């Protein structure tokens, strides 16, 4: 028996499947840029579109995020954002050319900081855009596979798939530590 307002598997599935596809895609393109947790959207995208189409949407959306954030970080907003960061006693360090590859890989791989914060902070460094696309984008996409797969697994509720996703997530967290 279901209670009104109760959150359970069926309620989550019904809500996720009831979202209009275009609205969900638009939300994924816009909301993470404003700080909305990307992980929630990734799970719902997996639920709604499956793994293959979900990952296509994620890849295109994350490329869009990088383009927009890079544009903002190179616009007149740059000085305003740097002043705001300085007001908290921080500054964005310059990254030596010889350290760009490993730094970008490490920074994009670290779990903990919100996705939007990582996008904006990396864009405010002196890294060329090719590092974002060539290094950070594949890392972000790779880490998105688990939540998108989790959304699809919840729909089908294959215990083996859910267990594999949980184990893979734990392994990534341990590796990240």
């Amino acid at each position: 028996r279901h209670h009104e307002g109760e959150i359970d598997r069926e309620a989550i599935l019904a809500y996720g499947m009831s979202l209009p596809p275009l609205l969900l895609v638009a939300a994924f393109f816009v909301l993470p840029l404003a700080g909305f947790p990307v992980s929630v959207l990734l799970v719902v995208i997996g639920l709604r579109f499956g793994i293959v189409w979900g990952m296509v949407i994620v890849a295109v959306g994350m490329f869009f995020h990088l383009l927009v954030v890079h544009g903002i970080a190179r616009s007149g907003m740059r000085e305003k954002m740097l002043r705001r960061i300085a007001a908290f006693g921080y500054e964005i360090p310059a990254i030596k050319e010889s350290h760009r590859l490993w730094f970008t890989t490490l920074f994009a791989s670290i779990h903990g900081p919100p996705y939007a914060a990582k996008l904006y902070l990396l864009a405010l460094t002196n890294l060329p855009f090719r590092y974002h696309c060539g290094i950070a984008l594949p890392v972000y996409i790779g880490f998105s596979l688990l939540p998108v797969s989790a959304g699809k697994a919840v729909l089908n509720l294959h215990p083996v798939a859910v267990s594999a996703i949980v184990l893979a997530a734990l392994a990534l967290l341990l590796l990240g530590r």
Side-chain angles (χ1 to χ4, degrees):
R1 185 182 126 158
H2 293 290
H3 300 284
E4 189 67 34
E6 184 177 289
I7 296 178
D8 58 10
R9 178 180 175 269
E10 288 75 24
I12 293 170
L13 288 174
Y15 180 74
M17 295 307 284
S18 72
L19 293 172
L22 287 177
L23 179 63
L24 181 55
V25 171
F28 181 72
F29 273 65
V30 174
L31 293 178
L33 295 171
F36 189 84
V38 72
S39 56
V40 172
L41 294 168
L42 293 172
V43 171
V44 176
I45 284 173
L47 174 68
R48 188 71 172 93
F49 296 103
I51 296 171
V52 174
W53 282 109
M55 290 307 296
V56 168
I57 292 165
V58 166
V60 173
M62 289 184 164
F63 179 73
F64 176 78
H65 297 157
L66 290 172
L67 278 174
V68 170
V69 168
H70 186 78
I72 291 170
R74 299 295 185 256
S75 72
M77 294 284 295
R78 178 181 183 81
E79 289 306 315
K80 186 175 183 177
M81 291 188 317
L82 291 175
R83 280 195 308 274
R84 180 83 171 141
I85 291 168
F88 289 103
Y90 297 101
E91 64 180 74
I92 302 295
I95 301 165
K96 292 182 183 178
E97 192 169 337
S98 61
H99 298 299
R100 288 177 176 172
L101 176 66
W102 73 262
F103 177 83
T104 306
T105 304
L106 180 67
F107 190 81
S109 299
I110 293 174
H111 286 288
Y115 173 71
K118 291 182 358 178
L119 285 175
Y120 285 101
L121 290 173
L122 203 54
L124 286 170
T125 66
N126 60 335
L127 288 172
F129 184 70
R130 69 179 179 271
Y131 279 85
H132 295 252
C133 285
I135 300 166
L137 181 60
V139 171
Y140 294 144
I141 291 170
F143 282 117
S144 298
L145 183 58
L146 285 174
V148 171
S149 299
K152 179 63 176 171
V154 167
L155 181 63
N156 296 329
L157 200 61
H158 294 297
V160 174
V162 173
S163 298
I165 291 167
V166 169
L167 288 175
L170 288 173
L172 282 175
L173 286 174
L174 290 175
L175 183 64
R177 286 261 183 230

